């Protein structure tokens, strides 16, 4: 588990691929935290609308969004991640890629995963680029409200590159979450299942899509 007292929080240049609920909410939270954000969408018009509402910079396309970014967040449907990454691969060299997606099947009744964790397919598409799974367990509606009562929600993350994970932990901290490192990308399967459980509970029970995860109890 990360010790938030030792996590270095830096202002970053962030690209968000996707301007739906998650991309829009993450853009708002990141801009509020002082980061510089560029956002792209399926259309330049959509990117402009979300950028105007969140304080981000609108990008004409995905390549333009990532051009000057240090960290790139994929906030798109799970079945679109690999194709987008393949198209952007040359432009992602030297950057940190964060997969915030969940690999739901077409009927939203299960996960559609070819490997142990869907994010491993993304990593295989981007050899040499550090990929981190993060934000997928956090609903869009909680990205700007990371506290419930006096309890900070947990921002779980997984990856195989220590420096990349440290940067993501800093981003989570800057947004108000308690970052918890769950291990390598293999452990992202647990995060994808946690997200699916929360999605299923809210969809099946008519909940308000405001539930979140918090890891409780002493760690030493």
């Amino acid at each position: 588990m990360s010790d938030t007292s030792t996590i270095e929080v830096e202002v970053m240049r962030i690209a968000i691929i996707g301007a739906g609920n998650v991309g829009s909410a993450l853009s708002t939270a990141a801009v509020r935290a002082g980061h510089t954000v560029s956002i792209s969408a399926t259309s330049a018009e959509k990117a402009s609308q979300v950028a105007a509402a969140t304080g981000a910079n609108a990008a004409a396309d995905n390549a333009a969004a990532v051009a000057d970014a240090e960290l790139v967040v994929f906030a798109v449907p799970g079945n679109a991640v690999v194709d987008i990454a393949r198209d952007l691969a040359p432009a992602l060299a030297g950057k940190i890629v964060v997969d915030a997606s969940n690999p739901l099947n077409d009927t939203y009744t299960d996960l559609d995963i070819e490997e142990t964790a869907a994010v491993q397919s993304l990593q295989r598409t981007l050899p040499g680029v550090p990929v981190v799974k993060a934000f997928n367990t956090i609903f869009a509606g909680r990205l700007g409200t990371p506290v419930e009562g006096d309890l900070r929600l947990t921002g779980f993350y997984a990856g195989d590159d220590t420096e990349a994970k440290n940067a993501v932990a800093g981003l989570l901290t800057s947004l108000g979450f308690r970052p918890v490192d769950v291990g390598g990308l293999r452990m992202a399967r647990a995060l994808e299942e946690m997200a699916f459980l929360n999605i299923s509970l809210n969809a099946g029970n008519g909940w308000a899509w405001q539930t979140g995860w918090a890891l409780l109890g002493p760690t030493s």
Side-chain angles (χ1 to χ4, degrees), residues 21 28 38 46 48 51 53 55 60 70 72 82 87 96 100 109 115 134 139 147 172 177 183 188 191-192 201:
N21 291 339
T28 299
S38 294
K46 174 65 173 179
S48 295
E70 300 166 284
V72 179
V82 168
D87 290 341
I96 296 167
T109 56
E115 303 188 49
F139 283 151
V147 177
L172 284 161
F177 293 92
L191 302 186
E192 291 165 357
L201 287 171

Side-chain angles (χ1 to χ4, degrees), residues 104-110:
L104 296 168
N105 65 14
D106 291 340
T107 58
Y108 303 98
T109 56
D110 204 345

Side-chain angles (χ1 to χ4, degrees), residues 4-158:
T4 56
S5 66
T6 63
I7 291 175
E8 186 174 352
V9 177
E10 298 183 356
V11 173
M12 288 185 285
R13 299 187 305 278
I14 299 170
I16 299 176
I17 308 300
N21 291 339
V22 173
S24 178
L26 184 57
S27 176
T28 299
V31 170
R32 184 184 300 142
H35 302 288
T36 300
V37 177
S38 294
I39 192 165
S40 60
T42 52
S43 71
E45 181 181 4
K46 174 65 173 179
S48 295
Q49 292 172 349
V50 173
T54 66
N57 300 308
D61 53 32
N62 294 340
V66 307
D68 192 44
E70 300 166 284
L71 185 146
V72 179
V73 181
F74 282 67
V76 297
N79 60 9
V81 169
V82 168
D83 287 343
I84 292 173
R86 189 176 292 118
D87 290 341
L88 287 176
L92 295 174
K95 306 179 189 298
I96 296 167
V97 170
V98 176
D99 179 17
S101 72
N102 283 301
L104 296 168
N105 65 14
D106 291 340
T107 58
Y108 303 98
T109 56
D110 204 345
L111 298 181
D112 186 8
I113 298 175
E114 294 183 359
E115 303 188 49
T116 300
V119 70
Q120 290 175 309
S121 297
L122 174 59
Q123 181 65 88
R124 291 182 189 280
T125 304
L126 300 171
V129 175
V131 173
V132 179
K133 189 78 175 189
F135 295 104
N136 73 298
T137 61
I138 305 168
F139 283 151
R142 299 296 326 208
L143 286 168
T145 54
V147 177
E148 183 69 26
D150 59 357
L151 180 69
R152 279 206 294 166
L153 298 183
T154 301
F156 296 102
Y157 61 99

